[in-house]
Amino acid sequence: MLRLSFPRRFFSPQACGSSGDTRPVAAVLLGSVLLSLLAFSQTTLVGRDAALYLDVARQVLEQDASVAFRAFDWPWFSLLLAATSKVFGLPLETAAHLWCTLFVAGTSALLVAVTLRFSPDCNYWAALVVLSLPAFNQFRGDIIREHGSWFFCVLALHLALRWLARGGWWRAAAIQAAIGLAALFRLEALVLMPALAASLLGELHTRQGWMRLLQLNALPLAVGLAAGLALVSGTDIWQPRIAGFAAVIDPRALLLSLDEMANLFAKIILEYHSKEDARQILVFGLLLTLLVKFCALNGPLCVPLLYRANWRAVSEYWRRLRPFAWTWLLYLCVLLIFFIKFRFINSRYTSFLNLLVVPLLTMALMMFCRSHPRWSPVAVFVLLMFMLANTVSRGPGKTHFLDAAAWLAEHTKAEDRVYYEDARIAYYAGRGYPRTDMTARQVMAGADAGGFRYYVLTHRPDEVTLQTWLAKERKQVVQQFRNARGETILVIGE
């Protein structure tokens, strides 16, 4: 019978006997860079958010940095891309690919280093888990701010573990600096501040515990004092994104949104006698949705957690990685608040939960394979397949977007009013990144008060709603573009 030898060689406890062994960290760095290069090489076009970031960076290069804050309310990633392009002479997309590759590789290395600290005999299992985790690796080919936020958040937590072991004012300041950098990418990274403070709750009965709490919060207190003095002096410090974030976590506004959502839920779905329980049903339903999404994003790595002998790993995780555990709990609360306030959630937001449990998933997988050695080759093979599946694109690509953009660049003028259902077409046509609150359905329903000369829609030409609107408005399909899958983009005019 054919036997696979690679698990015994690379995934045995003897391969890494201490957390000082840097071989798994070096392996995950190299593997991460290669996978990111593979993912970007197969990308046909950038995502919607990426097109916005790149367009803002372009405007910064053409004008000045102040334009970034008029175009986007949290443009620090775009400013980084513009600065990198200007200093090194790189195209903006290349600069974005470079930073995202570095951030992902750095996050991967930090997660392996933390896992080695949590379970020193995990050897290359940690690298395998990090490179195959669907929640993390499905975004390798994307230009997103989360890559920077995840890197600096994990760096802050890694520094926090060292600080908890050794203390020190400078180490505490480094933690807060890392959190501040993470917040420049995603403001939700500030959840680490209360999470790290909560990890000290068990030590507050001692003088040393209070001193550590002061060390950890000295810099935020200084910033808060400076902000308070600025407000007293009449300076407006409420940047729109910060003001919006404060409004989201306002308890009164949150309860109002919850009640509005619960009333609508009760009116449409619940019977009369259950309406008074609508709020509880809604909250627990949303929470269950988040947990299900969390489990799904772990992929096959959830299976070892079902093994009863691994349940004690959860208590070890909580005891030895308290900053990670508290961050997981509080970030889950942040996601729940976001879900209630905006009524949607996606994998990109929830994936940070999965990154936080990489040490737990690694230990569970390793213990499962030790107890069931015959399943070890199967586990490694499955994870390697997931590693490739998360990186290798199997679709035909959205080439019709590029074809439509090329046609528009050639046959329309910059001053023409064009409605883009997907603004990426405008980005690739060299027309910036126009943003509108109108959906295509609203346009067809008559919300287009000003009128556009052209409409670029991602619809099928035989849709009844589209045909009705064309007949009513006396418009026609000027040009259409298809990709290999049959997806269509229509250019509509008179």
Side-chain angles (χ1 to χ4, degrees), residues 105-125:
T107 305
S108 302
L110 287 169
L111 287 171
V112 170
V114 169
T115 305
L116 289 171
R117 183 186 185 94
F118 174 60
S119 180
D121 60 348
C122 68
N123 52 73
Y124 290 90
W125 288 110

Side-chain angles (χ1 to χ4, degrees), residues 255 257-266 270 273-289 336 340:
L255 287 175
S257 297
L258 179 59
D259 286 338
E260 180 183 346
M261 198 174 180
N263 290 335
L264 183 62
F265 175 69
L270 297 181
H273 296 290
S274 299
K275 288 185 177 182
E276 60 183 19
D277 299 321
R279 182 189 288 183
Q280 294 91 320
I281 295 172
L282 187 62
V283 169
F284 284 105
L286 296 179
L287 185 60
L288 180 61
T289 301
L336 185 60
I340 293 170

Side-chain angles (χ1 to χ4, degrees), residues 197-320:
S199 66
L200 294 173
L201 289 177
E203 301 181 23
L204 293 184
H205 63 284
T206 64
R207 185 168 178 262
Q208 183 185 11
W210 282 101
M211 180 57 67
R212 285 193 167 192
L213 189 63
L214 177 61
Q215 287 180 0
L216 190 62
N217 291 284
L219 189 58
L221 287 173
V223 173
L225 179 61
L229 292 175
L231 285 173
V232 170
S233 65
T235 304
D236 184 14
I237 65 170
W238 290 108
Q239 201 269 354
R241 176 58 66 95
I242 298 177
F245 187 78
V248 168
I249 62 176
D250 181 359
R252 294 170 299 178
L254 180 63
L255 287 175
L256 187 64
S257 297
L258 179 59
D259 286 338
E260 180 183 346
M261 198 174 180
N263 290 335
L264 183 62
F265 175 69
K267 182 178 180 181
I268 296 175
I269 297 176
L270 297 181
E271 295 291 340
Y272 173 78
H273 296 290
S274 299
K275 288 185 177 182
E276 60 183 19
D277 299 321
R279 182 189 288 183
Q280 294 91 320
I281 295 172
L282 187 62
V283 169
F284 284 105
L286 296 179
L287 185 60
L288 180 61
T289 301
L290 289 172
L291 293 175
V292 169
K293 186 174 285 288
F294 164 75
C295 292
L297 289 173
N298 284 328
L301 292 167
C302 263
V303 175
L305 290 175
L306 301 177
Y307 181 50
R308 187 174 180 180
N310 283 332
W311 295 354
R312 64 182 178 87
V314 177
S315 62
E316 282 294 303
Y317 171 78
W318 181 267
R319 184 177 65 86
R320 301 180 62 182

